[in-house]
Amino acid sequence: MITLTTPLEGVKHLRAGDEVELSGIVYTARDAAHLRLVELISQGQPLPFPLAGSVIYYVGPAPAKPGEPIGSAGPTTAVRMDGLTVPLLEMGLKGMIGKGDRSPQVVEAMKKHGAVYFAAIGGAGALIAQRIKKVEVVAYPELGAEAIHRMEVERFPLIVAVDSQGRSVYAEGMAKYRHPSLKEAY
Amino acid sequence: MRVIEYSHLVTHVKEMCLEANCILPKDINDALERAQQQEESPLGQSVLGSVLENAHIAKTKTMPLCQDTGLVVVFADVGQDVHISGGLLTDAINEGVRQAYKDYYFRKSVVADPIERENTKDNTPAVVHVSLVEGDQLRLLLAPKGFGSENMSALRMLKPAQGIAGIKDFVVETVIKAGGNPCPPIIVGVGIGGTMEKAALMAKRALFRPIGSQNPKNHLARLEEELLELVNKTGIGPQGFGGTQTALAVFVDSYPTHIAGLPVAININCHAARHVEVII
C-alpha cells in the first residue's frame, strides 16, 4: 500500500492500478462548481482555494447527521467534468478523485502537467465517510451538496486510475480480462 | 371495497425509503459474496471486499449505502377493489419521500426543471408508475435510482430481422460503452417489444427481480443466461478496473409488439441495487 499526503508533489512514481491511501486535504467540486471555477480562471479572478498541488474530489455528499462530520460520500462519474478540467490542470491541479475513465483531452493534459487521476470506489459512500474527519464549506454554499467543501481525510482508500504517463487501469484491466471468444467487433 | 388511509401510505413509503437506502437486499449481498469468490482479478476481489464492508457499515450505522440516494421510482400496482382515503396516491408517495429524505439525512438530488435546474430541496417528486390490477391489495415497489447507472441507459428500435443477434449486440455494446461509470458489478434490465415507452418501463421494472430468478419463458431465460455470460466476458470487472464479474444478473422482460418493430430498452443498476417491496 502506497501512502500519500497533500499537497501532492511528485506523482510520477504512481502507476495505474496501484492501491494508495491519501491523507490531508481534498476540495470537493462537481459540475456546477467546475463551471464557476473555469469562469473565474477565464476572467483572471482569484479562486476560492489554491489549485497548485491540490486534489479535487468529485463528490456530492449526503448531509451529515448531528455529531458526524459528513454523510455518505462516494465519488461521482468523472467524465462529466472532462470538458472543464484542462484549465484547472493548467493552473497546477495535481490530483483528481472520481469514478470512471477520462477523455483523451484530459489524459493528454495530465501527461503534460504531471497530474494523476484516482478512482475511489463508487457506491462505497458509507465506507469512505469513515475516513473523512472534518468538513467545511469554502465556497458557493447555495449549491448545497454541490458547494466546494474542504475535507480533511485520513487514509482515504484510492486506486490510481490514470497515471501521469497516461496509462489507464480501465483500458489495461479490461484488455487483460476480456475473454478471447468475445467478438472483435465489440 | 377495502379502504387504505393516506397517512398509512405515507408511513409505509417513508420506511421503504429508509430500508432501501441503508440496507442492501440479501440476494444482492449474497451475489456480491459469490462474485468476490469467483472474481479472477486481485484488484477486483479487493474492490468487492470494500463494497461488502460498505454494506455492513451502512446497515449498522443506518447511513445510506451511496451518497446518491437517487430519484425515487415507485411502481404502484393498485387492486381495483382498493380505495385510498384522505388524499391522492401520488401525494402520499411524495409526502413519504419528503419526510424520509429530510429526517434520515439523505441527499436531495432532484431539480424542479431539467433546464433551469433548481433543487426542490426535498427530493420530490418521485417518478410513479400506477397500474390497476385485480384484488384488494396495494403493491408498492420502490427504488431510489442513482444516476451514475441511470445515465448509462439506452433504447434502440431494432429491425425485426436483427432478432436475437441484434439484441445481444446492443446489450454488449451498451455495457462496454458504460464501462466503470455505472459502478459494476451491475444488474442489467432489458425490455423487449411493446412500444418505445413500454420497453423502457419493462427494463426498469426488471431491475426489481430477485437475483437467481428466471424469465418464465424458456427462450427468454436462455437469453438471460447468454447475455450474462457475454457481459461477463467483456473484462470490465468490478468498478471497471478489469475482471470477470461485470454483472450480477441480466433480467429480460418482453411484451407483444408490432409486425414492423423490435424495440429494445436497457436500464442498468449499480451494485448498490437498492429496492424494496411492500404489499399493503
Side-chain angles (χ1 to χ4, degrees), chain A residues 17 19 30 59-66 68 70-77 79-80 99-101 119-130 145 159 161 169-170 173-174 177-179 181-183 186, chain B residues 39-43 46-47 50-51 53-54 57-58 61-67 104-108 148 151 165 168-169 172-173 176 180-183 230 232-236 239-244 271-272:
Chain A
E19 292 188 72
R30 291 169 55 106
V59 61
K65 287 185 190 174
E68 305 267 350
I70 195 77
S72 292
T76 195
T77 306
V79 74
R80 295 200 318 273
K99 69 178 171 90
D101 212 349
I121 296 175
L127 174 85
I128 292 167
Q130 311 306 306
I159 288 97
V169 71
Y170 298 101
M174 191 168 161
Y177 289 96
R178 184 186 165 108
H179 199 279
S181 71
L182 200 67
K183 274 203 305 197
Y186 291 142
Chain B
E39 177 55 59
E40 290 174 20
S41 151
L43 184 55
S46 164
V47 165
S50 296
V51 162
E53 189 187 345
N54 183 68
I57 293 170
K61 298 195 74 164
T62 320
M63 59 194 290
L65 289 149
C66 178
Q67 73 291 337
Y104 302 132
Y105 299 91
F106 297 155
R107 197 179 82 185
K108 289 79 178 167
N151 280 337
K168 286 182 178 172
D169 285 351
V172 176
E173 283 164 21
I176 288 179
N181 293 337
C183 290
L230 277 172
N232 283 335
K233 283 180 174 174
T234 58
I236 293 168
Q239 292 291 316
F241 300 152
T244 57
H271 61 73

